[in-house]
Amino acid sequence: KELTKSLEKYQGLVVTEENLNDSTKTRTELNKLKTTIEDERKRIKKEWNAPYVEFETQIKELVGLVDQPIQCLDTQISAFETERKENKRKEIQEFFDENNSNELIKLDMIFDDKWLNKGEKIDKIKETILATIGRIETSLNVIKSQDTKYTTNMVDVYLKTLDLASALKEKE
């Protein structure tokens, strides 16, 4: 209240040529007052926050202690997960190789990364592979039955897109 009351005299103050020096001094005094208030706010804030800063430091130490075994476990779990995915990929590759007699069809053309997820059952993946190989072979037979000089181009387009319609368009 006192500050508001003492600052009332500065409200509506107009700077003129005659009072320029006094206005400059007044501004300097007000800036000093503002700095004093801000410094006190910062001092109290620092004092007020001191217990929290100490608490936060202790908590961070505790979290750091817990992080050590978590990181160790993460590394080991990640290694097991990588090995599981590699083994699953090998099993998929072996199944593909055993069931694919067409040299034009490569696993990479049909491979879906989600097959490596833990929840993806190998039997379902094998069914998908067999169905896809069958679909590709049927489409390739359709293309070859076109008996045109563009058959090679059509096969190339099909193998890139696995889209029979696009391959047949290539003929046109």
Side-chain angles (χ1 to χ4, degrees):
K1 285 181 179 180
E2 285 183 35
L3 181 61
T4 303
K5 189 174 181 180
S6 68
L7 291 176
E8 284 178 2
K9 65 182 176 184
Y10 301 112
Q11 300 300 322
L13 190 64
V14 177
V15 178
T16 63
E17 186 81 33
E18 292 80 32
N19 69 4
L20 181 61
N21 285 340
D22 289 339
S23 295
T24 303
K25 288 178 186 176
T26 301
R27 182 185 65 190
T28 302
E29 290 171 11
L30 289 172
N31 278 332
K32 283 181 185 178
L33 176 61
K34 176 182 161 185
T35 301
T36 301
I37 293 170
E38 281 294 313
D39 288 349
E40 184 64 8
R41 177 190 61 80
K42 291 174 186 175
R43 184 191 67 77
I44 290 174
K45 180 180 178 182
K46 184 177 179 181
E47 189 177 307
W48 181 268
N49 284 340
Y52 174 75
V53 170
E54 181 181 339
F55 169 76
E56 183 179 40
T57 302
Q58 292 170 349
I59 293 299
K60 285 182 178 180
E61 284 179 36
L62 295 176
V63 168
L65 292 173
V66 174
D67 272 345
Q68 290 172 347
I70 288 174
Q71 289 172 353
C72 181
L73 288 169
D74 280 349
T75 302
Q76 293 178 50
I77 290 169
S78 179
F80 272 102
E81 186 62 17
T82 299
E83 184 179 351
R84 183 196 62 76
K85 285 182 177 183
E86 287 173 5
N87 290 338
K88 193 170 188 180
R89 187 173 186 80
K90 285 178 188 175
E91 184 177 355
I92 291 169
Q93 182 69 55
E94 288 171 6
F95 179 81
F96 178 83
D97 292 343
E98 290 169 4
N99 291 280
N100 176 39
S101 58
N102 191 326
E103 292 180 13
L104 295 176
I105 305 171
K106 306 291 183 210
L107 179 60
D108 291 341
M109 295 166 55
I110 64 170
F111 191 83
D112 188 345
D113 286 332
K114 74 178 184 178
W115 290 349
L116 298 178
N117 292 345
K118 208 174 204 174
E120 292 291 320
K121 303 293 181 209
I122 195 71
D123 291 337
K124 185 163 170 73
I125 295 168
K126 289 177 179 181
E127 286 176 28
T128 302
I129 289 172
L130 290 175
T132 305
I133 290 172
R135 182 179 52 82
I136 293 172
E137 286 180 339
T138 301
S139 295
L140 288 171
N141 288 335
V142 168
I143 293 169
K144 290 176 184 174
S145 72
Q146 296 296 307
D147 195 32
T148 175
K149 64 180 182 178
Y150 301 110
T151 301
T152 305
N153 293 11
M154 293 169 64
V155 169
D156 288 344
V157 168
Y158 180 74
L159 292 175
K160 287 179 188 169
T161 64
L162 296 181
D163 181 22
L164 183 58
S166 294
L168 294 174
K169 258 187 189 175
E170 182 69 17
K171 176 182 171 184
E172 295 173 16

